[in-house]
Amino acid sequence: MPLRELSPPREPAARPALTLVLLHHAGGSSRGFGPLLPHLPRAWRVLGVDLPGRFLDRDGARCRTAEEAVAHVHREVRDELAAPYAVFGHSMGALLAYELVRRLEDEGTGPDWLGVSGSLAPHLRPARRDLVLRHARLPTAGLPDALAHRAARAVREDLRLIDGYTPAPGPPLRAPLAVFGGTDDPLAPAALLDDWTAYARPPASYHLWPGGHFFLFDHAESVCARMAEVPAL
């Protein structure tokens, strides 16, 4: 199930105040955003998109490039994006979110805002693979060996996807851009996050919390409160 409905069920006629699309980190899945869900506004519809071929999705054709991954996400969400909506990605998901929003803006259907978390700007080289693996959050505890192996394989293949990523030239985004980071993140150092400025037409907003690469799960309530404020920042 590549597209997941993460928000609680609502009345069919109830129009969400915002549809939020969440894109996961390397080796992860949309289930990893679970700590955020209780703190997001209940009037929002929250969707998660999983890249294919991970965990129980044995038959999904894995994405070999960032372009394939963005095309996959676009296919999954394009019919679900009734305005207003926003896109938020963490780590690898931040780069995919940025490329997805570029595509949607080219189609004239861009979001109300984009949130990128735990990621260097697209033109900067990603962190060394050994460093990423050292800080990866692998959901392998308690899993059967076959599933643990599949999770580790997903991390390696996602890292190859990012290793081959090169952003194409293009204008800054029209959507407001909010950059989220951890003060001690070794993969996306806070001192380098300002480089996202070049990708934003309205000035980007920057938001930092104590912690490392997965700071957002340690500060779920305040991160979600800041997300709810983004359109007004």
Side-chain angles (χ1 to χ4, degrees), residues 101-192:
V101 169
R102 288 184 67 185
R103 180 166 180 172
L104 292 166
E105 289 193 341
D106 286 345
E107 296 171 350
T109 58
D112 287 64
W113 55 270
L114 165 65
V116 294
S117 168
S119 175
L120 298 175
H123 67 279
L124 297 178
R125 294 303 303 160
R128 297 192 325 269
R129 182 174 297 196
D130 62 321
L131 189 62
V132 174
L133 289 171
R134 193 183 314 155
H135 293 275
R137 182 172 285 189
L138 287 176
T140 56
L143 289 179
D145 288 346
L147 284 181
H149 174 76
R150 200 170 300 145
R153 178 184 172 190
V155 173
R156 293 193 299 270
E157 294 190 351
D158 286 350
L159 292 180
R160 278 197 292 270
L161 181 155
I162 293 301
D163 284 345
Y165 166 67
T166 301
L173 299 175
R174 295 188 292 275
L177 174 64
V179 182
F180 295 69
T183 55
D184 300 308
D185 186 348
L187 307 184
L192 299 180

Side-chain angles (χ1 to χ4, degrees), residues 22-224:
L22 298 174
L23 302 183
H24 61 75
H25 60 85
S29 78
S30 57
R31 290 189 182 94
F33 287 106
L36 302 186
L37 299 181
H39 306 291
L40 291 169
R42 292 190 60 81
W44 288 9
R45 182 188 186 199
V46 184
L47 300 175
V49 185
D50 288 355
L51 295 188
R54 61 198 58 232
F55 304 113
L56 299 178
D57 180 21
R58 298 184 181 184
D59 301 324
R62 294 177 181 272
C63 298
R64 296 166 296 178
T65 65
E67 291 78 9
E68 289 182 4
V70 172
H72 165 80
V73 175
H74 182 264
R75 285 193 302 271
E76 292 296 324
V77 304
R78 62 188 171 190
D79 295 331
E80 305 291 336
L81 298 180
Y85 79 92
V87 181
F88 180 90
H90 179 67
S91 195
M92 175 188 75
L95 295 177
L96 299 184
Y98 164 73
E99 291 292 349
L100 174 66
V101 169
R102 288 184 67 185
R103 180 166 180 172
L104 292 166
E105 289 193 341
D106 286 345
E107 296 171 350
T109 58
D112 287 64
W113 55 270
L114 165 65
V116 294
S117 168
S119 175
L120 298 175
H123 67 279
L124 297 178
R125 294 303 303 160
R128 297 192 325 269
R129 182 174 297 196
D130 62 321
L131 189 62
V132 174
L133 289 171
R134 193 183 314 155
H135 293 275
R137 182 172 285 189
L138 287 176
T140 56
L143 289 179
D145 288 346
L147 284 181
H149 174 76
R150 200 170 300 145
R153 178 184 172 190
V155 173
R156 293 193 299 270
E157 294 190 351
D158 286 350
L159 292 180
R160 278 197 292 270
L161 181 155
I162 293 301
D163 284 345
Y165 166 67
T166 301
L173 299 175
R174 295 188 292 275
L177 174 64
V179 182
F180 295 69
T183 55
D184 300 308
D185 186 348
L187 307 184
L192 299 180
L193 295 181
D194 283 353
D195 282 59
W196 278 101
T197 298
Y199 297 85
R201 185 169 296 169
S205 59
Y206 293 87
H207 315 278
L208 294 176
W209 284 264
H213 192 56
F214 292 98
F215 69 92
L216 69 169
F217 302 127
D218 296 327
H219 303 279
E221 184 173 1
S222 60
V223 167
C224 291

